[in-house]
Amino acid sequence: MTDPNAIQPSELDQLPDRDPEETAEWQASLDAVTKAAGPHRAAYLMRRTLERAEGAGIALPKLLETDYVNSIPTSAEPAVPGDEAMEQRITAWNRWNAAAMVTRGSKYGVGGHIATFASAAWLYETGFNHFFKGKEADGSGDQLYIQGHASPGIYARAFLDGRLNEAQLDNFRREAGGDGLPSYPHPRRLPWLWEFPTVSMGLGPLSAIYQARFNRYLANRGIKDTSASHVWAFLGDGEMDEPESTAALALAAREELDNLTFVINCNLQRLDGPVRANFKIVQELEAQFRGAGWNVIKTLWGTAWDELFQLDTTGALVRRLRQVPDAQIQTYQTRDAAYIRQDFFGADPALVELAKLLSDDKILECFHLSRGGHEARKVYAAYRAAVEHKGAPTVILAQTVKGHTLGEGFASKNANHQMKKLTVDEFKNMRDLLELPISDSAFVDGVVPYGHPGADSPEVRYLQERRAALGGPAPARRVHPVAPLPAPAEKAFASFDKGSGSQNVATTMAFVRLVKDLVRDKESGKRWVPIVPDEARTFGMESLFPSLGIYSPKGQTYEPVDRDQLMYYKEAQNGQILNEGITEAGSMADFIAASTSYATHGEAMIPFYIFYSMFGWQRTADQMWQLGDQLGRGFLVGATAGRTTLTGEGLQHADGHSPVIAATNPAALTYDPAFAYEVAAIVKDGLRRMYGEAAPGEDQNVFYYLTVYNEPLPQPAKPSVEGVDEGIVKGLYRFNTAESAGITPPANAPRIQLLGSGTAIHWALKAQALLAEEWGVAADVWSATSWSELRRDALEADEALLRGEERVPFVRQALQGAEGPVLAVSDYMRQVPDQIAQWVEQDWSSLGADGFGLSDTREAARRHFGVDAESIVVAALAQLAKKGEVKATAVKEARAKYGL
């Protein structure tokens, strides 16, 4: 049998041992200490040795976990500048008003969260008073990602500051009247206060990392000095279970983002119970962040614990704290001193002796109240260490009690996340605990009053003076006056109007060529931010590598393998392209940071993010809602789009539904252009609307979603007829008629209108020729560049009608007088074109690629879904047969002729 005490083989066996005798002496010393003083003493000595080695600059792997104690000892804590007693009073008012706001709103049944801010109040207050730079500070100020469920506390502080009034607090979660407050941080709903939407769990931490990274991108490219800006992300320990929360930790460490601090409120509870009931979430997070390369600061225990740690001469207390699971820590919060003496201290004889030195009051103070996240001194020390740390991002793991100061009915109770109100008696107990001057008579008819010390009170003056010193109110969102970007030269767009002649060109290539021209523009070229998730070569963008460079804060520290080629892989510190690797979520976070730079930094940037269309809205639609909520602007480009344009890729890559999902987002302007000149016209109009001179009433806070295709196809010249440009932007124009296409149908031939979008228009054009040549039917072909914009316009017309205004939807205007029924076709499910069916006066039918995708050739896939030219012909004949304009037998004949 193998000796369990024998030293097992390790990677060290592969390294040369210059002095085996010395090595053996060290090992023997460790064995002797273990035998004489025990394994805990041996472990302590080893850790001290590793600590000394690290301090001396000796390269050794770091420990992933430390003991369950504060990272910063009490003796090393700096004094808190300012008036701590004053900040205590301010925090008390904020706690009160946050709880009052949610409780008063409970009578309307609109919900709200009390316990989260109660646990995190000092985490915010310390930052507001000493660290968070406002928008009037140097640079752009700090960027604050507020934990969504803590919003009542932020509103309460804004109320104390005079930025909100009682009526607004009373309209918390009731916005329909126009003067309410959104439930969570929502820039679209309260754009002067909230800068970043965060309540969709996991997106806050992900976005914060990429925002910090984008700040460095702006600086390294010479666009804006962002060195004074710091990104703070306030998160919950339960939120860290979301994969997005930790998806980019390595990026932050790899790029040494010391302009970023995560503050994780470790109240040990998620929505239904403990975060890690049988384990320790703080230790787990510490290991995770340390392993990713972050600086970790644990702020766990308050000053009441100092005496206990000093009395612990054997290390038994620290060992016991590491053993006790989180759920038991929560139980101690709700039990009496006798229980704690027996369960916690009774587990070790040394702790039994230690407990004899403690009064019951002392035990309850430690286990019920004293947490590092509840003390300004502890929090200040952690924040100070975080902003002074260089070379890596910092995470602060601050232990708190969920529901702190709200009373025994709230603190650490599993259900407290769903508890929406306190009773009057509970409020009075809270008032006494917080020492607030609110009389019993202020509770009129059982309604809890808001509290305010007065606009000229010492508390308000102190609060405002601290904010003035730090650069103004926070949080705050400012859209600085930015001159509209000059329109690029018309030549870049007009070059597509003449078509591609005999050359087949994919619309993906047309878009990339357009961008290549636009980034050369002297005025706006540097504003473009190309974003791609490791598929640049798929989309034909490799030609941009040497000209624009791929952004890397370290530049290029190696000689690329393709250095001798024209389109070599070039990385640069001032590179313009963000090539993120295989992460759609990270690329979207990039896009969000760039698309809102006009507000965050007063610098308008023009991001375009190009991706497999299937992997955009399907995977990251939540971030696209975040983008719309944050009022982002830019171009999302779904490449290799459609369900039948990819050869051989199959179900997982075949996109038949992205435009459906996109249509649900009010901020998304979704286009499915068929031709290169349409791509150019849409981008041109998007630049005008989002970055130039928007028309009166036009919302600039939109983003464009364009689908483009990798299939090389003929690119015709733009029709030289009136209304084409307007139709491209609004969503529909007639590309040709049977006659203008050179087809001469018989006199009085039946006529049908074929509406196609994207690549489907090529099938419609082929069907147009077949209908005329083989069936004597005249077909007009229309390019439907945007089904969803046609629908948006029609919905607005309906709304106008309800107001008594007569307005005809554009789709009805465009098709007015068009003869025959309408047949719509796209490379997506029928639901996409069917969006506009109710506003079309002609008989309507549609074709689409419904169902699951499959692997095969394009032709076979289109035949499978019934959207190829021959299928369009059969569908068109069927419509005309219903009206009696062709013989019913024609449908059967066509089906047999084409093998359908």
Side-chain angles (χ1 to χ4, degrees):
M1 292 180 62
T2 303
D3 181 0
N5 297 316
I7 297 176
Q8 299 299 311
S10 77
E11 73 276 5
L12 294 178
D13 294 336
Q14 303 174 68
L15 305 180
D17 188 347
R18 294 188 301 176
D19 192 340
E21 186 176 344
E22 182 183 32
T23 302
E25 289 174 359
W26 275 79
Q27 292 172 338
S29 297
L30 180 62
D31 291 342
V33 171
T34 303
K35 184 176 181 180
H40 300 301
R41 177 61 180 169
Y44 178 82
L45 290 174
M46 288 301 300
R47 289 192 48 198
R48 278 296 194 189
T49 302
L50 289 171
E51 184 179 74
R52 176 61 62 90
E54 184 177 348
I58 299 172
L60 284 172
K62 291 187 177 181
L63 292 173
L64 293 184
E65 280 188 48
T66 60
D67 282 317
Y68 204 65
V69 296
N70 293 348
S71 301
I72 303 172
T74 301
S75 59
E77 293 170 358
V80 180
D83 188 334
E84 208 168 328
M86 183 68 73
E87 293 175 22
Q88 181 81 43
R89 292 203 296 275
I90 292 170
T91 306
W93 285 116
N94 292 340
R95 289 181 182 280
W96 177 273
N97 287 322
M101 179 195 326
V102 176
T103 298
R104 287 168 67 126
S106 66
K107 67 181 179 181
Y108 301 105
V110 293
H113 301 285
I114 302 176
T116 295
F117 177 73
S119 66
W122 274 113
L123 302 180
Y124 291 106
E125 193 59 37
T126 302
F128 285 131
N129 285 325
H130 303 288
F131 292 94
F132 303 158
K133 294 183 286 293
K135 299 303 178 185
E136 294 155 23
D138 292 340
S140 306
D142 286 354
Q143 287 83 53
L144 308 180
Y145 288 77
I146 304 295
Q147 190 179 1
H149 291 149
S151 63
I154 308 305
Y155 290 140
R157 197 174 200 276
F159 170 64
L160 205 65
D161 193 14
R163 294 200 289 163
L164 293 174
N165 56 43
E166 284 195 17
Q168 288 171 300
L169 297 192
D170 260 353
N171 282 325
F172 173 58
R173 292 192 168 207
R174 294 193 300 137
E175 301 176 76
D179 198 30
L181 301 179
S183 51
Y184 304 121
H186 285 306
R188 187 168 285 275
R189 290 300 183 205
L190 205 61
W192 60 267
L193 180 73
W194 297 121
E195 197 166 17
F196 306 107
T198 54
V199 80
S200 190
M201 294 295 160
L203 299 191
L206 181 68
S207 292
I209 289 173
Y210 281 90
Q211 181 65 56
R213 195 281 198 90
F214 189 75
N215 290 357
R216 291 281 170 85
Y217 171 87
L218 289 178
N220 285 331
R221 289 196 54 215
I223 291 174
K224 183 166 187 176
D225 180 3
T226 58
S227 58
S229 290
H230 198 89
V231 177
W232 300 82
F234 288 83
L235 318 167
D237 46 1
E239 181 179 3
M240 301 311 294
D241 284 346
E242 286 285 3
E244 294 89 350
S245 294
T246 55
L249 298 187
L251 167 74
R254 184 169 65 244
E255 300 204 0
E256 301 178 353
L257 298 180
D258 49 25
N259 61 338
L260 170 67
T261 297
F262 276 15
V263 181
I264 302 182
N265 178 17
C266 297
N267 56 35
L268 312 185
Q269 286 183 250
R270 53 189 177 200
L271 307 192
D272 290 328
V275 178
R276 293 290 183 272
N278 297 299
F279 307 93
K280 300 189 81 64
I281 186 60
V282 168
Q283 300 300 93
E284 180 182 317
L285 291 175
E286 178 184 27
Q288 194 168 14
F289 277 88
R290 282 186 183 275
W294 286 53
N295 174 45
V296 179
I297 299 173
K298 294 197 292 192
T299 302
L300 308 180
W301 308 111
T303 52
W305 282 83
D306 288 347
E307 180 184 347
L308 272 68
F309 288 125
Q310 290 170 2
L311 292 172
D312 178 28
T313 59
T314 66
L317 178 60
V318 173
R319 291 196 298 273
R320 181 66 178 140
L321 288 173
R322 286 199 68 175
Q323 294 168 358
V324 178
D326 284 352
Q328 192 63 20
I329 292 286
Q330 300 295 81
T331 298
Y332 294 149
Q333 175 70 36
T334 63
R335 302 301 290 269
D336 59 21
Y339 177 88
I340 298 171
R341 283 183 188 277
Q342 178 181 349
D343 190 85
F344 181 83
F345 291 99
D348 188 301
L351 292 181
V352 172
E353 294 304 313
L354 188 152
K356 292 178 181 178
L357 304 175
L358 304 175
S359 68
D360 285 355
D361 287 343
K362 181 66 175 180
I363 289 175
L364 293 179
E365 180 186 11
C366 289
F367 283 85
H368 284 195
L369 302 173
S370 188
R371 300 290 187 275
H374 294 322
E375 296 187 14
R377 181 185 178 97
K378 304 292 185 184
V379 176
Y380 180 87
Y383 286 7
R384 178 83 170 268
V387 297
E388 291 179 353
H389 185 81
K390 300 303 177 186
T394 294
V395 59
I396 296 169
L397 304 174
Q399 187 161 272
T400 65
V401 174
K402 193 166 186 177
H404 184 58
T405 73
L406 297 180
E408 294 181 359
F410 265 84
S412 290
K413 295 298 176 65
N414 283 340
N416 61 20
H417 189 81
Q418 302 302 327
M419 297 162 70
K420 312 300 182 187
K421 59 184 178 180
L422 278 69
T423 66
V424 169
D425 287 341
E426 287 172 329
F427 265 109
K428 289 179 179 178
N429 290 335
M430 181 182 176
R431 170 201 62 189
D432 297 340
L433 175 65
L434 298 176
E435 299 181 350
L436 291 172
I438 299 173
S439 66
D440 287 352
S441 61
F443 293 82
V444 179
D445 297 327
V447 177
V448 58
Y450 293 118
H452 200 293
D456 196 40
S457 64
E459 293 91 336
V460 173
R461 287 201 305 272
Y462 180 89
L463 180 155
Q464 293 175 341
E465 287 168 2
R466 292 305 309 142
R467 289 311 316 155
L470 287 166
R477 181 180 182 273
R478 299 278 178 87
V479 179
H480 305 274
V482 177
L485 293 181
E490 180 64 27
K491 181 181 178 182
F493 305 103
S495 64
F496 293 91
D497 290 353
K498 60 185 179 182
S500 62
S502 60
Q503 182 183 10
N504 287 349
V505 176
T507 51
T508 298
M509 294 301 98
F511 177 81
V512 171
R513 180 187 144 195
L514 174 62
V515 170
K516 286 176 66 176
D517 291 340
L518 293 175
V519 296
R520 294 192 188 105
D521 186 84
K522 291 182 180 180
E523 296 292 333
S524 61
K526 68 178 183 180
R527 302 282 171 180
W528 283 88
V529 183
I531 302 167
V532 59
D534 200 38
E535 289 279 7
R537 297 183 192 278
T538 301
F539 306 136
M541 291 175 58
E542 65 268 30
S543 61
L544 299 178
F545 288 168
S547 58
L548 300 183
I550 299 166
Y551 173 74
S552 170
K554 293 185 179 297
Q556 193 153 36
T557 61
Y558 61 92
E559 183 178 355
V561 67
D562 54 359
R563 181 66 180 85
D564 58 341
Q565 297 179 16
L566 180 63
M567 293 184 286
Y568 70 96
Y569 197 81
K570 176 186 174 183
E571 297 189 73
Q573 190 175 30
N574 64 346
Q576 196 163 348
I577 300 170
L578 291 173
N579 191 333
E580 286 307 342
I582 305 174
T583 167
E584 281 86 8
S587 299
M588 266 308 302
D590 264 336
F591 187 89
I592 291 169
S595 70
T596 54
S597 181
Y598 73 92
T600 309
H601 294 292
E603 297 286 348
M605 304 299 288
I606 311 170
F608 80 85
Y609 163 34
I610 188 166
F611 51 90
Y612 265 90
S613 65
M614 181 68 165
F615 301 149
W617 289 88
Q618 175 166 299
R619 287 188 177 179
T620 56
D622 198 14
Q623 286 177 283
M624 289 158 184
W625 275 100
Q626 180 188 10
L627 166 66
D629 199 359
Q630 201 168 315
L631 310 176
R633 305 169 184 173
F635 296 96
L636 296 176
V637 183
T640 59
R643 183 152 278 165
T644 72
T645 60
L646 278 167
T647 54
E649 289 286 3
L651 187 153
Q652 195 175 37
H653 286 64
D655 175 20
H657 53 277
S658 283
V660 177
I661 305 174
T664 65
N665 191 311
L669 276 60
T670 303
Y671 288 89
D672 186 25
F675 304 124
Y677 66 79
E678 293 177 351
V679 172
I682 293 164
V683 171
K684 178 182 177 181
D685 190 69
L687 290 172
R688 174 201 62 79
R689 177 169 178 172
M690 295 185 291
Y691 299 97
E693 297 286 356
E698 263 187 334
D699 184 5
Q700 282 190 285
N701 298 317
V702 295
F703 60 92
Y704 283 63
Y705 176 52
L706 282 72
T707 50
V708 293
Y709 302 83
N710 272 27
E711 185 176 4
L713 289 166
Q715 295 297 330
K718 181 163 71 172
S720 55
V721 295
E722 186 178 352
V724 171
D725 287 329
E726 179 190 25
I728 291 172
V729 172
K730 289 191 172 182
L732 184 67
Y733 69 97
R734 182 157 49 197
F735 176 72
N736 69 15
T737 62
E739 292 76 11
S740 67
I743 300 168
T744 307
N748 301 317
R751 188 173 290 268
I752 190 168
Q753 309 299 318
L754 302 179
L755 276 58
S757 69
T759 193
I761 202 168
H762 296 278
W763 322 329
L765 289 169
K766 183 179 178 182
Q768 179 187 47
L770 291 174
L771 283 165
E773 295 166 4
E774 300 182 4
W775 305 98
V777 172
D780 301 335
V781 175
W782 299 70
S783 180
T785 55
S786 179
W787 309 102
S788 61
E789 284 306 292
L790 292 172
R791 177 179 176 82
R792 191 194 306 268
D793 172 79
L795 289 172
E796 290 172 357
D798 287 354
E799 292 172 6
L801 190 62
L802 291 175
R803 298 191 299 267
E805 304 170 18
E806 289 292 336
R807 183 177 152 192
V808 180
F810 178 78
V811 64
R812 190 170 295 167
Q813 294 178 41
L815 290 171
Q816 187 173 16
E819 298 177 37
V822 168
L823 174 60
V825 61
S826 79
D827 205 16
Y828 301 94
M829 55 200 301
R830 290 174 59 184
Q831 188 174 339
V832 175
D834 284 349
Q835 294 179 81
I836 64 169
Q838 71 185 82
W839 293 281
V840 174
E841 293 180 313
Q842 293 88 342
D843 290 342
W844 173 274
S845 66
S846 63
L847 297 174
D850 286 79
F852 289 109
L854 77 165
S855 300
D856 214 311
T857 64
R858 293 182 178 118
E859 293 76 15
R862 287 163 188 164
R863 176 57 58 92
H864 169 80
F865 286 112
V867 292
D868 60 354
E870 292 79 4
S871 298
I872 294 173
V873 170
V874 172
L877 294 173
Q879 270 193 286
L880 292 168
K882 285 182 183 178
K883 296 172 65 68
E885 296 187 21
V886 299
K887 294 179 180 179
T889 56
V891 180
K892 184 177 180 180
E893 292 171 11
R895 210 179 281 127
K897 180 182 179 68
Y898 301 131
L900 296 178

